[in-house]
Amino acid sequence: MSSLTQTASMPEKHYLNNGTTLKSWLLTVDHKRIALLYLFSVLVMFSIGGIFAILIRLELLTPQADMVTPDVYNRLFTLHGVIMILFFLIPAIPGTLGNFLVPIMVGAKDLAFPKINLLSWYVFNAGVILAVAALVLGGVDTGWTFYTPFSTTFSNSNVILAGLGAFMAGFASILTGLNFLVTIHRMRAPGMTWFRLPLYIWSHYATSIIMILGTPVLAIAIVLIAVERGLGVGIFDPNIGGDPLLFQHLFWFYSHPAVYVMILPAMGIISEIIAAFSRQRIFGYHFVAFSSMAIAILGFLVWGHHLYVSSQSVYASIVFSVLTMLVAVPSAVKMFNWSATLFKGSISFDTPMLYAFGFFGLFTIGGLTGIFCATLGLDVHIHDTYFIVAHFHYVMVGGTVMAFFGGLHYWWPKMTGRMYPEMLARIAAIATFIGFNTTFFPQFLLGYLGMPRRYAVYPPEFQFLNICSTLGATILSVGAALPLFYLAWSFKYGRKAGDNPWGATGLEWETTSPPPTFNFDETPVVDRDPYDYAHLYGQQES
Amino acid sequence: MGQHILPVRTYLLVFGSLMVLTVLTVAAAFAHFAHPWDDVVALSIAITKATLVILFFMHVKYSTRLTSFVIVSAFVWLAILVGITAIDFAARAEQTTEQPMSVVPLEMRAIGDEPAEH
Amino acid sequence: MSHAQPGLAHHFDSYEQQKESSSLGMWIFLAQEIMFFGGLFTAYLVYRYLHSDAFAVGSSLLDIKLGCFNTVVLIGSSLTMAMAVRAAQTGKKQQIVTYLILTLVLGGVFLGVKTVEYGAKWEHHLVPGDNFHADVAEPGHVQLFFVLYFIMTGMHALHMIIGMAILLYMIWRAKQGAYTPENHNYVEGFGLYWHFVDIIWIFLFPLLYLLGAGGVGA
């Protein structure tokens, strides 16, 4: 029963007012408070990364490098990439919504290792400080991919600082993943069997596996770069028998699965939202759960598709191309299952659902264009063009960012006890969708026509599409920035939401909004399937 | 699940075996087996030693299946990293450089230029 | 809601759950450590495949006797660490302290020998960088071997140093009687870490030291 239909209330004591000093926040071990600490950090980084994006789009209004020099432009897109990928997309959902919800959804009082959870936030911020230091001291110009030998031998920018920042952010994600895996294995409430878990948990489980097995390889790649650059000893230097491709293999072994770290939690959010706002159980629950695992595993086998034109052996490229086609299948399975969930559902268009619909269309385009990129022959043509840029923004922004905002709105009443302003939120969601497409669809065309990425100058015939793209970026910034304002406003002035404003299933909706510090007044006992909307409706009738 | 307390004798036996295997691996190195058998022998001995440490010193023989699964997964993943990377380096030798892939000279021109006249 | 059981964290329901969580957590941490060192092993295997002769030459310039001695020392420290865990399981407080101290001492011996080795490498101009010099056909490739030698053994040594710092803390805590048969997760968990560091060396030793044993190309 939705609590929005009754007079909603907030409990007297809950996790937000259980201690109000700065120390009680900075030394908290409560996973919900740590989630909010993470939310603050990632939104700051999102804003900084966004500013770089705006600067890039402003420069690209004209074909010449007239706003910034090419050298400065190199630093703009490098920092945009480093910050958005390593300091926003990877930690955002697991660090905020994951930290908040994983213990509650499994019925536990906290994560398995609360102090390590806090440590992960501090390690993350150490990375933030290093990255910001690199920025302030002049930036990095190697591209977020840090390819050798430019990064190790020829670049005059703060490569090691940025690399260490990335190392720290990565280590924070390893600690988070470790915590989630142990929590999901060992701390489920009585009756919470594996197939009664919400699909959100399955997706975080799969994400955590990737974090554990992939991130360390990035860490060692960064260490090797730091040694080669800092000590002047060649490791990837052909002059002494080294191979720059070895770096690329180590780098992409992590960085490809990293994109699944970015999308799997987003898919978890979509499962929850689609179920709640069509009031149906997710069609093919087992398929969706196993698809998450399949994406995590298959995602580790495809990294070489980033090396097609780097002089990787053609035979290896063929193998990678076939495997990359395979990894699209489980994602498609999920899309079909979500569509089937909508069928004959009772659909409402609240803001979270708007974001979910946005995800649907945009992730489809992003995913399908991924098949283009996976095709060996075609990729030779579109590699390092704006086609690739458009592809990954469709999946990362159209996918992850849409889902992140959708999830933020969906669980905002649970986290704060208050509702956000619905009309304004819908406008923001629609503006984001329109702005996003206007920004990035022209980039598919630009890329296919031959405009290369990472260049401040371009042939004049591309200007029109670039102007369209920048116009879109303006709309997108408004759409993305609006929530930051009204969500902050709603903390104090939003309407009280009550325990279950959406009438949704899940253990998180069976406790108060905001929850007490230890999540539940009594340890829950689980005796029914997830997304048991039919049962809920049955109760309402009687 | 009670804890398994191994007798001291077990630990000493394992230690003794590890010493023997260490001597064996040094001896094998000096024996100069033909390549690649020298690598096979060295790796086999190292894996045996690691297995003994894992099973007995780290108590995995008496731990849950989940524990074994975690260890096996990690080594499988390492095999993926090494194995698939190796495909690239090994297969490069297959690509002959004697015959260039394209015999027709490419015309390099900027977008917007007039086509070259023939 | 409050637990009358000492050493049981508030979010766990039983010592059993706490112990199993602690163990699983350490194993997952070790899994990522395997991938961390795995990246280095990948680099080593790739370059060894590409430059096998030079790698054999480089390997022959290492001191097998010291490497062998260190292997024995480190495996010995694994034995003493396993005994320390056993002492914690059986509640023998003084034995825990003794075995932890022995582990620390053996670890120190290992690092001492490595320091001697590193010093010798510097003397013989085998440290990569400006000082490197090798009278061989492909000095560059031999330098590559030594780059990997120093990074791999250096990373291993760093893990040992961290381990020894933790050992110091644990010896202090053990003296305070912090480790009981019901709750000694710290000792078990650290034991797993220490054995892992031993296993890394079990692979490093043959790969680095025994390649060019008894003469190169024989």
Side-chain angles (χ1 to χ4, degrees):
Chain A
M1 197 58 179
S2 162
S3 56
L4 275 178
T5 58
Q6 314 148 298
T7 322
S9 64
M10 269 166 70
E12 276 275 331
K13 286 174 73 77
H14 48 78
Y15 81 99
L16 285 171
N17 58 24
N18 188 4
T20 50
T21 62
L22 191 62
K23 188 174 153 192
S24 74
W25 276 91
L26 293 181
L27 291 180
T28 182
V29 290
D30 179 358
H31 65 100
K32 300 181 289 300
R33 287 192 165 201
I34 295 174
L36 292 183
L37 291 175
Y38 257 108
L39 184 62
F40 175 73
S41 299
V42 302
L43 287 179
V44 166
M45 294 312 266
F46 182 61
S47 308
I48 298 178
I51 290 172
F52 281 116
I54 293 173
L55 292 172
I56 292 172
R57 286 304 338 155
L58 284 177
E59 166 53 54
L60 290 176
L61 274 173
T62 61
Q64 303 86 17
D66 43 13
M67 197 179 95
V68 297
T69 61
D71 182 55
V72 171
Y73 186 79
N74 292 347
R75 290 155 203 261
L76 290 181
F77 66 69
T78 302
L79 285 157
H80 171 70
V82 168
I83 289 175
M84 283 306 206
I85 293 176
L86 296 166
F87 292 93
F88 175 68
L89 285 165
I90 287 183
I93 300 174
T96 60
L97 296 171
N99 262 330
F100 195 95
L101 293 165
V102 167
I104 301 181
M105 281 186 173
V106 302
K109 298 191 194 84
D110 207 309
L111 286 177
F113 308 113
K115 292 192 206 139
I116 290 189
N117 198 12
L118 182 66
L119 175 67
S120 84
W121 184 69
Y122 278 105
V123 171
F124 178 72
N125 281 307
V128 166
I129 291 172
L130 289 167
V132 170
L135 196 165
V136 161
L137 290 173
V140 193
D141 63 356
T142 58
W144 83 277
T145 46
F146 292 113
Y147 277 7
T148 63
F150 183 59
S151 61
T152 53
T153 316
F154 300 103
S155 169
N156 289 323
S157 62
N158 304 294
V159 174
I160 296 183
L161 257 184
L164 287 177
F167 184 97
M168 289 298 186
F171 192 59
S173 76
I174 289 176
L175 295 175
T176 300
L178 195 156
N179 233 331
F180 285 175
L181 285 174
V182 179
T183 305
I184 297 170
H185 268 284
R186 292 281 176 240
M187 296 183 65
R188 283 168 282 130
M192 180 61 88
T193 59
W194 281 93
F195 292 120
R196 285 184 181 161
L197 287 168
L199 288 165
Y200 183 82
I201 297 291
W202 276 97
S203 69
H204 277 267
Y205 184 81
T207 305
S208 302
I209 292 177
I210 303 176
M211 284 167 164
I212 296 295
L213 293 173
T215 317
V217 183
L218 175 78
I220 206 70
I222 294 172
V223 165
L224 291 175
I225 289 227
V227 168
E228 178 162 330
R229 185 178 172 85
L231 300 179
V233 293
I235 300 164
F236 307 110
D237 182 0
N239 289 322
I240 60 164
D243 192 337
L245 240 67
L246 179 63
F247 171 77
Q248 294 189 23
H249 277 291
L250 293 175
F251 178 84
W252 286 111
F253 181 84
Y254 164 70
S255 297
H256 186 81
V259 313
Y260 300 112
V261 168
M262 299 179 225
I263 202 64
L264 276 168
M267 290 173 158
I269 294 176
I270 297 302
S271 285
E272 300 301 314
I273 293 178
I274 299 249
F277 292 96
S278 56
R279 310 202 66 72
Q280 306 236 80
R281 53 177 258 287
I282 292 285
F283 186 90
Y285 170 96
H286 288 76
F287 273 92
V288 179
F290 290 133
S291 294
S292 297
M293 301 301 293
I295 291 173
I297 294 170
L298 287 174
F300 270 101
L301 305 179
V302 303
W303 77 86
H305 63 235
H306 298 271
L307 282 71
Y308 283 160
V309 300
S310 296
S311 82
Q312 175 177 254
S313 138
V314 165
Y315 301 101
S317 297
I318 294 173
V319 169
F320 280 120
S321 181
V322 170
L323 289 167
T324 309
M325 305 286 182
L326 267 181
V327 80
V329 172
S331 298
V333 164
K334 289 190 176 206
M335 296 295 284
F336 286 125
N337 278 291
W338 289 323
S339 306
T341 306
L342 292 171
F343 182 64
K344 288 206 176 160
S346 168
I347 298 180
S348 41
F349 292 90
D350 299 278
T351 303
M353 194 57 156
L354 290 183
Y355 281 111
F357 277 129
F359 176 98
F360 244 69
L362 300 178
F363 180 74
T364 301
I365 295 176
L368 288 178
T369 51
I371 313 264
F372 285 57
C373 306
T375 311
L376 194 42
L378 184 51
D379 187 65
V380 172
H381 176 69
I382 58 178
H383 183 80
D384 269 346
T385 68
Y386 264 85
F387 193 94
I388 306 287
V389 175
H391 156 70
F392 65 66
H393 280 92
Y394 262 84
V395 281
M396 295 204 285
V397 183
T400 305
V401 176
M402 291 293 253
F404 176 62
F405 277 113
L408 211 52
H409 285 77
Y410 179 53
W411 282 294
W412 191 254
K414 178 56 54 184
M415 300 198 303
T416 61
R418 297 186 183 269
M419 288 301 288
Y420 54 85
E422 181 64 37
M423 248 316 125
L424 199 51
R426 290 188 192 181
I427 292 172
I430 294 171
T432 305
F433 182 81
I434 294 174
F436 173 84
N437 278 301
T438 315
T439 311
F440 290 104
F441 198 83
Q443 293 186 7
F444 279 124
L445 304 172
L446 281 168
Y448 198 73
L449 290 171
M451 178 177 172
R453 65 186 282 206
R454 295 176 167 169
Y455 275 70
V457 300
Y458 54 80
E461 58 262 31
F462 292 144
Q463 185 171 22
F464 174 68
L465 287 173
N466 269 294
I467 293 178
C468 288
S469 183
T470 302
L471 171 66
T474 316
I475 304 172
L476 176 58
S477 349
V478 172
L482 257 177
L484 304 183
F485 291 106
Y486 64 67
L487 287 176
W489 172 91
S490 76
F491 239 115
K492 224 168 159 224
Y493 301 109
R495 180 166 54 109
K496 289 190 187 159
D499 292 2
N500 193 355
W502 309 117
T505 64
L507 284 178
E508 74 268 31
W509 302 110
E510 292 178 24
T511 187
T512 59
S513 305
T517 297
F518 293 115
N519 297 336
F520 303 99
D521 289 322
E522 275 176 26
T523 306
V525 176
V526 181
D527 56 4
R528 61 176 107 116
D529 288 336
Y531 316 114
D532 201 7
Y533 283 98
H535 185 230
L536 252 189
Y537 259 134
Q539 276 211 321
Q540 254 187 329
E541 247 81 88
S542 64
Chain B
M1 232 200 67
Q3 56 184 357
H4 231 95
I5 305 178
L6 292 177
V8 178
R9 194 168 160 262
T10 308
Y11 287 132
L12 292 175
L13 266 173
V14 170
F15 178 74
S17 313
L18 290 168
M19 291 299 103
V20 167
L21 287 166
T22 304
V23 169
L24 223 67
T25 198
V26 175
F30 278 98
H32 291 300
F33 298 122
H35 197 69
W37 295 109
D38 53 353
D39 287 343
V40 170
V41 168
L43 214 54
S44 306
I45 296 177
I47 291 175
T48 310
K49 288 165 87 173
T51 308
L52 283 172
V53 173
I54 290 173
L55 285 178
F56 294 102
F57 282 170
M58 298 171 93
H59 298 151
V60 170
K61 189 162 185 283
Y62 310 98
S63 294
T64 59
R65 273 184 319 180
L66 179 60
T67 305
S68 313
F69 190 71
V70 170
I71 305 163
V72 168
S73 306
F75 282 112
V76 166
W77 247 249
L78 180 53
I80 292 173
L81 171 60
V82 173
I84 301 186
T85 304
I87 294 179
D88 177 24
F89 288 95
R92 282 196 219 162
E94 296 299 315
Q95 283 181 207
T96 172
T97 50
E98 286 167 29
Q99 193 76 290
M101 294 188 70
S102 158
V103 192
V104 177
L106 294 170
E107 277 173 38
M108 298 296 291
R109 58 188 179 88
I111 298 166
D113 283 355
E114 296 298 322
E117 294 182 1
H118 279 290
Chain C
M1 270 279 276
S2 64
H3 293 284
Q5 295 148 297
L8 182 65
H10 68 279
H11 55 289
F12 286 119
D13 294 324
S14 68
Y15 281 123
E16 177 90 28
Q17 190 187 40
Q18 180 171 276
K19 177 175 163 36
E20 297 202 349
S21 300
S22 162
S23 172
L24 182 60
M26 179 51 81
W27 275 112
I28 293 175
F29 179 73
L30 292 181
Q32 70 87 35
E33 287 279 281
I34 289 175
M35 294 308 291
F36 184 69
F37 278 95
L40 287 176
F41 279 105
T42 307
Y44 169 89
L45 290 169
V46 164
Y47 285 150
R48 176 175 155 173
Y49 168 80
L50 291 176
H51 312 299
S52 40
D53 289 338
F55 267 48
V57 167
S59 173
S60 69
L61 295 169
L62 295 177
D63 190 331
I64 292 188
K65 289 194 293 296
L66 288 182
C68 208
F69 175 76
N70 257 358
T71 306
V72 170
V73 163
L74 201 55
I75 296 180
S77 77
S78 253
L79 173 65
T80 55
M81 190 62 220
M83 294 299 291
V85 172
R86 189 177 185 283
Q89 287 175 317
T90 50
K92 307 245 174 55
K93 179 178 141 189
Q94 189 46 51
Q95 269 191 28
I96 306 177
V97 176
T98 309
Y99 281 118
L100 288 179
I101 291 178
L102 275 174
T103 309
L104 184 70
V105 166
L106 287 171
V109 169
F110 181 95
L111 288 177
V113 170
K114 275 245 80 59
T115 312
V116 166
E117 281 190 275
Y118 280 7
K121 295 290 159 297
W122 178 259
E123 300 276 310
H124 296 128
H125 296 279
L126 291 173
V127 175
D130 292 332
N131 192 31
F132 186 86
H133 179 76
D135 259 325
V136 290
E138 294 271 20
H141 299 175
V142 174
Q143 183 171 180
L144 200 54
F145 172 84
F146 278 98
V147 169
L148 281 171
Y149 166 79
F150 277 102
I151 296 180
M152 292 170 91
T153 58
M155 190 58 77
H156 176 261
L158 176 64
H159 280 73
M160 284 197 61
I161 293 171
I162 294 172
M164 286 167 66
I166 299 177
L167 268 170
L168 279 169
Y169 168 77
M170 279 171 48
I171 290 168
W172 173 64
R173 289 289 285 151
K175 284 197 170 149
Q176 295 179 329
Y179 305 127
T180 63
E182 294 78 36
N183 184 9
H184 54 272
N185 295 334
Y186 229 101
V187 184
E188 286 233 31
F190 178 80
L192 292 178
Y193 174 80
W194 193 257
H195 295 307
F196 168 78
V197 172
D198 185 23
I199 290 176
I200 294 291
W201 184 259
I202 284 174
F203 283 96
L204 283 183
F205 173 58
L207 287 178
L208 291 173
Y209 286 81
L210 299 181
L211 267 188
V216 180

